Amino acid sequence: MAYATALRYNAEAYQWGAAGRGLCVCALWVGLAWFPPDSLPRAAMQLLPVTAGAITTWAHYRPGALDRVVVSRFAAISWLGRHLSGAKGRATVDLSGVLECGGILAALLLYVGPVAVRPLPAPLYVLGLAVSTVHVWSALSQAMIDAGWYNPDEPPPRLLVRLRPLIPPALAALGFALFAWPQYAEREDVPVGILGASFLAASFLLLWPYTFIIEALLRSAVATCHIEVGAVRLDDALTLHSLVKNAVRSVMRQVTDDPGAGAETRALINELALVVEETRLKLLDQPELPQSLPTLVKRIQKLMPHDQRQTVVLDEICSTKRRLSKTDFGLVRRVLPDFVTNAWKAGAQHVGVSVQVEENSARPWVAVRVEDDGPGMPVDAGADPYSSLRILESHLRRFEGTIEHHPGPVKGTCACARWRSAAY
């Protein structure tokens, strides 16, 4: 949720940031009109990297621009588009960032430092420092709150995470070293004064509280999303229970009492009822894992009519700690409702459920056993080739499986489904 929220606000903020930094670059180009003529070639060369960075950053966050770049017939331009697309949503170093950061430093060295252009009008000098500071602030503020810092699928490298809080003080130290450079024009002082240079350099330290405020707003937005989504899911779960689940349960009762209803129809109704219950519990954000056997047993119990839930007890026992594969759990989910439904329809008051994985071969067997204390199965049970049991057994044959029924130890029936475990 944090990553998705960060992507949303970054998409809008980055476009405005790229546009603002583009204006800063334009201002630096306009300032060349007041540079000494012999310094113009060098000054233009030093402005080219940041200009290229501004253009690539604008293309990076302009909707649809990268798509056109990727399909360019020029290999280098197409590679650039793929590179920038791959960097979206990730806290990583990309070409646009390198060009902007390295480029603005090269542009700043036109005004300050040991290779600065001399002489420059004092207003132009101050303007160059101010525009460069705004550019750096815009670029680094977006880097500090990039959505990639919250990407759960591709988390940022540990080195970048450790370096992130060091960015503001490093920028402040570099800024002070350059802005307070003692040589300016023909005089030995800085036109904005040492206090002004210190102020510009210290402004980068504000990236700390800025990042803190943005992350606090992000956490608030995420918390609000969770609350609103939870309210919607609860309302949907209540609607599903009131309108859909009760209706399906009524259909189940009618189909069960109708001797003309086919076994496949009963199986489909059972499956539909289980899907409705699973969906309702997912909407309620139940803590149990979707592939948890206890959870499955509880869901099956909730499919029974209200007047029989209290008398039928499901004892779930799993003799293995091994996690069932997706296919095996799907088969258990298909077999159990049918076995349990047959038991309570036969009048059983107690139903025991056991799921075992027999670790005695390279490809183990999965066994689902359901024992009940009902009157026992009729002699001709399962003889109908279109019964639910026969349909189940034909499905299990794909996994070398079978279904067997035996009389219980004292009374009732023991139904067992067995198949070769699937690895996926």
Side-chain angles (χ1 to χ4, degrees), residues 205-267:
L205 294 176
L206 295 177
L207 287 172
W208 271 333
Y210 171 79
T211 304
F212 176 80
I213 292 172
I214 293 298
E215 290 196 335
L217 293 175
L218 176 61
R219 287 191 294 269
S220 300
V222 171
T224 303
C225 287
H226 280 300
I227 293 173
E228 295 299 324
V229 169
V232 172
R233 291 166 70 96
L234 178 60
D235 184 64
D236 289 345
L238 293 174
T239 302
L240 194 64
H241 182 275
S242 301
L243 300 181
V244 181
K245 183 180 176 183
N246 289 336
V248 171
R249 191 179 291 140
S250 299
V251 174
M252 283 181 64
R253 187 183 291 272
Q254 293 182 15
V255 170
T256 301
D257 296 338
D258 184 2
E264 183 65 20
T265 301
R266 294 190 179 96

Side-chain angles (χ1 to χ4, degrees), residues 369-372 377 404-409 411-416:
R369 185 182 301 272
V370 175
E371 298 181 2
D372 65 69
M377 291 193 66
E404 298 178 352
H405 289 80
H406 307 284
K411 64 175 183 176
T413 305
C414 175
C416 180

Side-chain angles (χ1 to χ4, degrees), residues 84-104:
L84 295 178
S85 297
K88 272 192 173 182
R90 297 174 56 199
T92 184
V93 178
D94 57 34
L95 183 60
S96 61
V98 171
L99 288 173
E100 281 210 290
C101 293
I104 194 61

Side-chain angles (χ1 to χ4, degrees), residues 42-351:
R42 177 169 72 93
M45 291 297 295
Q46 288 182 236
L47 286 182
L48 285 179
V50 71
T51 305
I55 294 173
T56 54
T57 301
W58 179 85
H60 196 174
Y61 296 103
R62 182 70 177 176
L66 277 187
D67 295 335
R68 294 190 291 271
V69 173
V70 169
V71 298
S72 172
R73 59 180 179 177
F74 299 103
I77 297 179
S78 179
W79 172 87
L80 176 62
R82 294 193 300 272
H83 165 74
L84 295 178
S85 297
K88 272 192 173 182
R90 297 174 56 199
T92 184
V93 178
D94 57 34
L95 183 60
S96 61
V98 171
L99 288 173
E100 281 210 290
C101 293
I104 194 61
L105 178 60
L108 185 60
L109 290 176
L110 291 172
Y111 297 88
V112 296
V115 295
V117 174
R118 307 296 185 216
L120 289 178
L124 179 62
Y125 175 86
V126 175
L127 179 64
L129 263 61
V131 168
S132 300
T133 301
V134 171
H135 185 286
V136 173
W137 230 103
S138 173
L140 270 299
S141 63
Q142 292 186 351
M144 292 287 287
I145 62 169
D146 190 89
W149 296 111
Y150 320 103
N151 190 338
D153 300 322
E154 297 181 82
R158 291 184 179 180
L159 180 60
L160 283 181
V161 174
R162 293 175 180 175
L163 290 178
R164 185 187 182 194
L166 302 179
I167 293 176
L171 281 175
L174 178 62
F176 185 81
L178 292 176
F179 296 162
W181 193 265
Q183 297 292 330
Y184 165 72
E186 298 175 351
R187 294 175 294 172
E188 297 296 322
D189 62 330
V190 179
V192 293
I194 193 67
L195 184 61
S198 300
F199 174 79
L200 290 176
S203 68
F204 295 124
L205 294 176
L206 295 177
L207 287 172
W208 271 333
Y210 171 79
T211 304
F212 176 80
I213 292 172
I214 293 298
E215 290 196 335
L217 293 175
L218 176 61
R219 287 191 294 269
S220 300
V222 171
T224 303
C225 287
H226 280 300
I227 293 173
E228 295 299 324
V229 169
V232 172
R233 291 166 70 96
L234 178 60
D235 184 64
D236 289 345
L238 293 174
T239 302
L240 194 64
H241 182 275
S242 301
L243 300 181
V244 181
K245 183 180 176 183
N246 289 336
V248 171
R249 191 179 291 140
S250 299
V251 174
M252 283 181 64
R253 187 183 291 272
Q254 293 182 15
V255 170
T256 301
D257 296 338
D258 184 2
E264 183 65 20
T265 301
R266 294 190 179 96
L268 290 174
I269 290 296
N270 290 340
E271 175 69 14
L272 175 60
L274 185 58
V275 169
V276 170
E277 178 61 19
E278 288 176 341
T279 304
R280 187 184 72 86
L281 293 179
K282 287 179 181 178
L283 288 173
L284 293 175
D285 280 333
Q286 294 296 303
E288 293 88 358
L289 294 173
Q291 293 192 8
S292 165
L293 289 174
T295 302
L296 178 60
V297 171
K298 290 177 183 178
R299 292 173 182 176
I300 294 173
Q301 191 174 24
K302 289 184 179 181
L303 299 182
M304 301 176 184
H306 283 285
D307 56 352
Q308 297 190 24
R309 272 192 209 173
Q310 303 302 322
T311 58
V312 178
V313 179
L314 298 182
D315 294 330
E316 182 275 330
I317 302 173
C318 185
S319 65
T320 179
K321 295 183 180 180
R322 170 176 173 162
R323 183 180 176 86
L324 294 175
S325 69
K326 184 177 181 180
T327 300
D328 288 338
F329 186 84
L331 292 173
V332 173
R333 181 181 173 279
R334 178 68 179 85
V335 170
L336 268 184
D338 204 293
F339 280 6
V340 172
T341 301
N342 288 337
W344 66 258
K345 280 167 50 181
Q349 299 299 306
H350 183 279
V351 179

